[in-house]
Amino acid sequence: MPGRRRLPRALPSEQGVPARALLRFLDSLEQGGPELHSLMVLRRGHVIAEGWWHPYRRELGHQLFSLSKSFTSTAVGFARAEGLLSLDDLVLDHLGDLAPARPDPRLARMRIRHLLTMTTGHVTATDVRVFGTPRWAKAFLALPLEAEPGTEFLYNTPATYLLSFLVQRLTGQRVLEYLRPRLLAPLGIEGATWEQSPEGVDTGGFGLTLATEDLACFGQLYLQDGVWEGTRVLPEGWVAEATARHTDSHILEPDWAQGYGYQFWRCQPPGIYRGDGAFGQFCVVMPEAQAVVVATSGTPHLQGVLERMWEHLVPALAGEQEVGADLEPAAEAELAARLAGLRIAPPSGDAVPAHTLAGRRIEVAGDAEVRAVVVGPEGLGTGEGTTVTLELADGGSRTLAVGAGQWAERAVRPRRGQGAFAGRVEDGPLPVVAAAAWTAPDACTVQVRPLQSPTCLTLDARVTDDAVTAHARLSVSFGRTDLGAVRGRVVEA
């Protein structure tokens, strides 16, 4: 079962950590801090704090975005240990058939380690130029190089994709399948999915979905130098090599300016490293403190999450604070209650609506992807909730359960993503929650949260007898978050 418990549990005080420090970390998140979806803190291999902000929950995977890169790097480590490649191999020795007829001389000097360290020789962003094509690997190799490989750092997600492509070519397996017996099975990871490119290759630099405990096991494996339950899983020496600083990183945010390894970041506190992904997906490893901190999130403020960890968790996990044995039972009881009660509140409001749209069809004006919205007979934001069916421009439809002031859940088939990060998703429905509340007789707020995604869609709607105007915004996005106004005409369903 995805997300099942595999790690031992302990009270914070049993591992020398004051519960009050963990409470202060939670306080800092609630005081206008970034939105977390899950948290797990480990000390000496024991989980001392864990929680999921309802409606997110233990057994659900969460999109990892660029934290996927650390898993692709691990696959490269296995491939090297099995003699399939050397990090000093020239990329064109393996993929020369995909290169232009007259490759850039600098491309001919690009090595696998340059892909791992994001020092390929590209100086300008590559994402759109690669992911906007049907053949990502070929497009990457056709890009001009502005610098000598190994001399300039550029965060380069297509470079990670090329590593995934290379591993698949050498092994005959998707990275996900290649990792299954070597990494996932030993750690007890089940239900992992990975988006694929148009050419049928795991996207490598993003697209992996795992549960929180899966990430915690991955971090603990790296903390233990690749040994799990007494058995070596990762190649000997790989952890130290992969997580060392191999290049400067030159990014303005402090924790992205500490240097880069093989798809791992170095951190501001000395000795700490991490894998991370867009919108706050973190696996932070603290070797000196014998600690791992994992979080999934839905925030654009990644630095804010890390700063709170450094302020509240690092001193406590490093043993710099004494645990007051006489005070800890009360603090630990408070911590347990806080962690069990974590929640993200649905929209709230107690206004009496002038029109609940019960059984009505809203025909959406303009060129929107949603052509019409049909509200169930119970009405929007009243009683126990209702269903809302979206009729899409491509002829398909999706039906959501929408609670009244509380989250209602329904499994919905995903649509293919749009834009630069648009891998082919795994088949199967995904859980989505939605809630609605009336804040004035003519004003309704609706929120929709896909539970394996960091994103929340909010619609603030104004309703008259025959018209709806909704302002739409996303909590996080690679593009714009303010989607503007959507207008519709109310007719009988």
Side-chain angles (χ1 to χ4, degrees):
M1 175 181 174
R4 64 184 176 85
R5 291 166 63 120
R6 282 149 283 159
L7 295 162
R9 268 61 181 174
L11 293 173
S13 60
E14 293 173 339
Q15 299 303 320
V17 178
R20 290 291 175 199
L22 301 173
L23 286 166
R24 286 192 291 272
F25 177 70
L26 295 178
D27 289 341
S28 74
L29 297 173
E30 293 176 359
Q31 295 164 2
E35 177 183 295
L36 263 61
H37 296 163
S38 71
L39 172 71
M40 192 170 283
V41 182
L42 283 65
R43 182 89 192 282
R44 300 175 186 143
H46 292 74
V47 178
I48 59 171
E50 59 184 319
W52 286 260
W53 278 256
H54 178 78
Y56 303 90
R57 55 185 184 269
R58 171 188 302 279
E59 70 273 16
L60 295 179
H62 202 282
Q63 293 175 333
L64 301 185
F65 295 95
S66 286
L67 182 43
S68 308
K69 291 178 170 71
S70 301
F71 288 81
T72 300
S73 166
T74 304
V76 172
F78 283 120
R80 183 178 72 171
E82 292 169 11
L84 300 177
L85 58 83
S86 162
L87 300 193
D88 289 318
D89 285 353
L90 295 169
V91 171
L92 294 189
D93 284 348
H94 295 283
L95 304 176
D97 58 304
L98 300 177
R102 295 181 178 178
D104 185 320
R106 285 173 287 202
L107 177 62
R109 295 190 288 273
M110 185 191 297
R111 301 183 185 276
I112 291 174
R113 69 171 62 254
H114 299 142
L115 300 172
L116 281 169
T117 58
M118 304 284 192
T119 57
T120 56
H122 299 103
V123 174
T124 55
T126 63
D127 301 36
V128 174
R129 292 183 289 164
V130 171
F131 298 144
T133 73
R135 299 187 65 187
W136 293 1
K138 191 175 181 69
F140 179 86
L141 294 174
L143 294 177
L145 297 182
E146 301 92 345
E148 185 67 25
T151 63
E152 297 285 342
F153 174 87
L154 175 76
Y155 194 67
N156 194 338
T157 296
T160 314
Y161 173 72
L162 204 67
L163 291 170
S164 177
F165 187 96
L166 176 60
V167 169
Q168 181 162 324
R169 173 170 281 200
L170 291 174
T171 66
Q173 295 179 292
R174 297 172 55 188
V175 166
L176 183 64
E177 294 307 318
Y178 180 63
L179 287 178
R180 202 175 299 282
R182 294 164 175 81
L183 177 71
L184 307 188
L187 300 187
I189 295 175
E190 301 171 351
T193 63
W194 208 319
E195 296 176 28
Q196 292 181 274
S197 71
E199 49 198 336
V201 175
D202 288 349
T203 48
F206 62 98
L208 181 60
T209 294
L210 292 176
T212 307
E213 186 139 351
D214 300 334
L215 281 180
C217 291
F218 180 72
Q220 187 64 29
L221 175 68
Y222 265 78
L223 179 66
Q224 295 170 176
D225 192 32
V227 175
W228 189 258
E229 295 180 342
T231 299
R232 174 154 294 283
V233 172
L234 300 180
E236 188 168 0
W238 172 256
V239 170
E241 183 180 354
T243 63
R245 175 178 176 142
H246 287 275
T247 180
D248 295 338
S249 45
H250 306 303
I251 294 178
L252 292 178
E253 293 282 6
D255 275 291
W256 282 262
Q258 304 302 315
Y260 199 66
Y262 296 163
Q263 315 280 292
F264 288 89
W265 293 97
R266 301 298 300 183
C267 300
Q268 288 187 83
I272 295 177
Y273 61 88
R274 72 186 188 280
D276 71 33
F279 315 126
Q281 323 316 316
F282 289 107
C283 181
V284 181
V285 181
M286 307 176 182
E288 291 186 11
Q290 301 178 62
V292 174
V293 180
V294 166
T296 61
S297 314
T299 177
H301 305 299
L302 279 69
Q303 185 66 54
V305 178
L306 292 175
E307 295 289 357
R308 287 166 172 81
M309 288 186 189
W310 309 155
E311 179 180 358
H312 300 290
L313 299 185
V314 167
L317 293 168
E320 297 173 13
Q321 301 179 21
E322 292 186 5
V323 177
D326 55 332
L327 301 177
E328 281 309 294
E332 288 177 335
E334 181 182 349
L335 177 63
R338 286 276 294 279
L339 291 169
L342 297 172
R343 64 193 301 268
I344 294 175
S348 62
D350 55 8
V352 177
H355 191 337
T356 67
L357 301 173
R360 296 301 182 93
R361 173 187 174 87
I362 304 167
E363 295 181 345
V364 179
D367 234 0
E369 291 184 25
V370 176
R371 292 292 175 83
V373 178
V374 180
V375 179
E378 301 84 359
L380 191 64
T382 62
E384 296 298 316
T386 190
T387 59
V388 170
T389 298
L390 312 177
E391 297 179 1
L392 307 177
D394 62 9
S397 66
R398 302 290 187 274
T399 298
L400 305 175
V402 183
Q406 60 184 353
W407 299 114
E409 182 173 331
R410 184 171 180 137
V412 178
R413 287 182 293 115
R415 299 188 69 208
R416 179 172 176 168
Q418 303 295 319
F421 296 92
R424 190 169 65 203
V425 299
E426 302 282 343
D427 293 330
L430 300 175
V432 177
V433 298
W438 291 88
T439 57
D442 65 342
C444 183
T445 295
V446 181
Q447 282 193 357
V448 181
R449 289 180 175 270
L451 291 182
Q452 292 186 284
S453 164
T455 303
C456 171
L457 170 66
T458 299
L459 298 166
D460 292 313
R462 290 283 176 179
V463 183
T464 64
D465 286 340
D466 61 355
V468 175
T469 300
H471 191 96
R473 64 185 188 277
L474 297 171
S475 57
V476 293
S477 172
F478 287 111
R480 61 195 182 105
T481 55
D482 188 335
L483 304 181
V486 180
R487 294 175 175 81
R489 182 170 64 93
V490 181
V491 299
E492 294 293 336

